[in-house]
Amino acid sequence: MSEIWTSTMEIFTSYGSMISLAGVAIFGVMAVNALVAVYFERKVSAFMQDRLGPMEVGIFGFTGGKNFWGGIGQTIADALKLLTKEDILPDSADKKLMILAPFIIFIGAFVTFIGVPFSSVLLVSHFNIGIFYIIAMSSVGVVGIILAGWASNNKWSLYGSLRSAAQIISYEIPAGLSLILVVVVAGSLNIHQIVEWQADHRWFIFHSPMTVLAFFIYFISGVAETNRTPFDIPEAESELVAGWMTEYSGFRWALFFLSEYANMLIISILASVVFLGGWLSPMELFSVFPDSWLILDGVWWGAFWILIKAIILIFIMMWFRWTFPRLRVDQLMHLCWKILIPFALMNLVLVCIWELV
Amino acid sequence: MNTKTHIDQSLIKTDEMVLNMGPQHPSTHGVLRLKIHTDGEIVRKIEPIIGYLHRCFEKHCENLGYEQIVPFTDRCDYIASMHMNHGYALALERLMGIELPPRVEYIRVIVGELQRIASHLVALGTFGLDIGAITPFTWMIRDRERVLDLFEYLCGARLLYNYIWVGGVSHDLPEKFIRRTKEFLDYFTPQIDEFDQLLTFNKIFIERTADVGILPPDVAVNYGVTGPSLRGSGVNWDLRKNDSYSVYPDLEFDIPVGTGQMGSVGDCWDRYYVRMLEIRESIRIINQALKAIPAGDVHAAIPKKVRPPKGSVYSRFETARGELGYYIISDGKNIPVSLKMRSPAFCNLSVISEIAEGWMISDIIAILGSLDIVLGEIDR
């Protein structure tokens, strides 16, 4: 009996189990993020548009009344509905690729979370190539998008996926250049060391005029990479019906949705880690508070601060979406190649000079 | 080893792709089908295919009494039903030579201009939706609801009114209608500035619509384009001024025309902005009409039996979409021998194959939205 017990414990403590534990944790974060973010987005859009948003579905008998919490169970009900829907594959679609595509997109978002920190210790792994890994992995999803569009055998999907591929690949360049700028200053790709640099000196957004510009370039590119308005041309509803997602429904479509909101979270957390001090308390910015208040910098407070910063950035993304019209595909490329990339390159050169002087 | 030393050009030749936009598509404004020949994102040729909402309006009219046709006209342009009623009533009154009490004329002008506001709000909101801006749409629909509330208070219906009858209107103005209309105008006038801030002068919106889908004035006239779409091309032509009816000659208002403020004359932005300015003009007209409205009996001139004399009439009327014409042939009986409707959106749509070629798919959506079509009226 005791042998079985020890062997069970061994399994639980073994390396493989740790990985699966991390996997479950990441999946939990992604699922909760999607549920909360969808509800948040629907409420934010509703209040911006003089509506109430979801108001009917409660959870465990808690309906929340006629205020912000009304309809709190709506996204859970929606998720259940999606999971129980009929699985539809069009006759003329390339079925293998069509089944494969959502998983590639999902895995792209999933493995990115390995490098994404939620606080100084709440992260799966911090390794030397942290930022590089995140940039590399978050671009895996585009393969799935192209596959999804091609395999659907639908003209709208094809348009959507080609637009999406062009857009995501283009906007990775200014995003990457802006992050390189921080790497140059901090002298490390490791996320821990970047935040430590900010703890020792100051937040990167306050470092120099160039980093302010880099933050904006990164954030705009991030919005474009997540295919959100004003850069949502790949799924432009009024043009391409639903873009590359047109033929998908049910569980596979839910995976797309999960990945989209996970990507939003990744972009926002990365922006707050790299530019906004990560898990550092904003209280440190103001020396008016007594030192004892800086106790707010603990492990769990770190998670609190990083999420607050990320949520503010996500809110700004939603604000964009419900305010702006959509750009045209050539204007989008114009913005990327003729405005953002030259500025990002010039920025990089200037910040090198700034560091030397 | 290497069987292919060069790439066979015939294998990679590019071809045009035919894309069927509609009849079920989010932004064809109804069941319109556009057959688009595309070369990548560029549109080479575009054919509008209509008839999915054909309800035999004109044939039905040959078997209906003149009074019974009024609710059928509602269902043609369901976004601006009052105008359809009014145009029809006007045609028959001209044929029968009916003199209307002044109160009826003023009521018709007030509800007609309220309807113009409501219709333009839908047009502008859905145009924004086509460009990708969702919030302006909900704001404009919110304000349109207030106009519909007024109409509901006036005649009980919110969409298909059957309000303007031959020789009069179905009900007199309710007691508080004038006060409620004034309250609405006081509320609504500042809202227009808000729409301007949110959408009209938005940089992305201007990028998307200025210099896109330019409709030159001569092409517009040749195709018979009318209404705000024609005035967006800089042609000052409005039947309320040029072939005036009702009490419009007594009222003071301007006809806004496109000036090419953001791009060239006749682009999508001009067509959009003309509608925005027309809303302001409508408010001016309503304010004057509310002051000048006399007392009187609105049922005084309604004939017991609508039996026009032998003959025919062509009468035209300026709706929110353009020039609405009714051609009615009567043989003296209580049903028309023939009734033909010249619907404005039909002619406005026909110009799309002329102006939309060479633009991108996204621009097609913008151009279609700026022409403001209603399929119920095109197919009849």
Side-chain angles (χ1 to χ4, degrees), chain A residues 38-57 63-75 322, chain B residues 135 138-139 142:
Chain A
V38 171
Y39 182 72
F40 188 52
E41 170 133 43
R42 290 182 70 172
K43 279 295 184 185
V44 165
S45 71
F47 287 126
M48 283 183 185
Q49 300 179 346
D50 227 346
R51 301 184 283 123
L52 287 171
M55 288 302 287
E56 295 300 324
V57 186
T63 50
K66 296 285 172 214
N67 52 32
F68 187 83
W69 303 110
I72 187 89
Q74 182 68 50
T75 47
W322 301 106
Chain B
T135 302
T138 57
W139 287 15
R142 172 194 67 193

Side-chain angles (χ1 to χ4, degrees), chain B residues 230-265:
Chain B
L230 175 69
R231 293 192 282 277
S233 301
V235 181
N236 192 335
W237 178 260
D238 188 320
L239 294 178
R240 288 175 293 172
K241 283 259 194 236
N242 296 78
D243 184 11
S244 201
Y245 48 86
S246 202
V247 285
Y248 282 112
D250 306 339
L251 300 168
E252 200 178 293
F253 61 100
D254 298 324
I255 305 297
V257 292
T259 53
Q261 193 180 339
M262 292 297 164
S264 4
V265 177

Side-chain angles (χ1 to χ4, degrees), chain B residues 93-162:
Chain B
E93 284 150 12
R94 280 182 181 164
L95 186 58
M96 296 169 74
I98 298 175
E99 276 292 313
L100 291 175
R103 184 173 175 82
V104 171
E105 296 281 27
Y106 274 98
I107 290 174
R108 286 180 176 189
V109 166
I110 290 167
V111 296
E113 294 306 316
L114 281 173
Q115 181 72 85
R116 199 178 303 275
I117 290 173
S119 171
H120 280 346
L121 282 178
V122 175
L124 301 177
T126 50
F127 184 45
L129 207 57
D130 292 344
I131 304 291
I134 302 166
T135 302
F137 173 71
T138 57
W139 287 15
M140 288 172 184
I141 288 293
R142 172 194 67 193
D143 293 336
R144 173 180 178 255
E145 283 298 303
R146 293 180 184 247
V147 181
L148 298 192
D149 286 344
L150 283 175
F151 285 155
E152 191 182 7
Y153 183 54
L154 176 70
C155 63
R158 293 175 65 82
L159 193 69
L160 307 165
Y161 310 106
N162 188 16

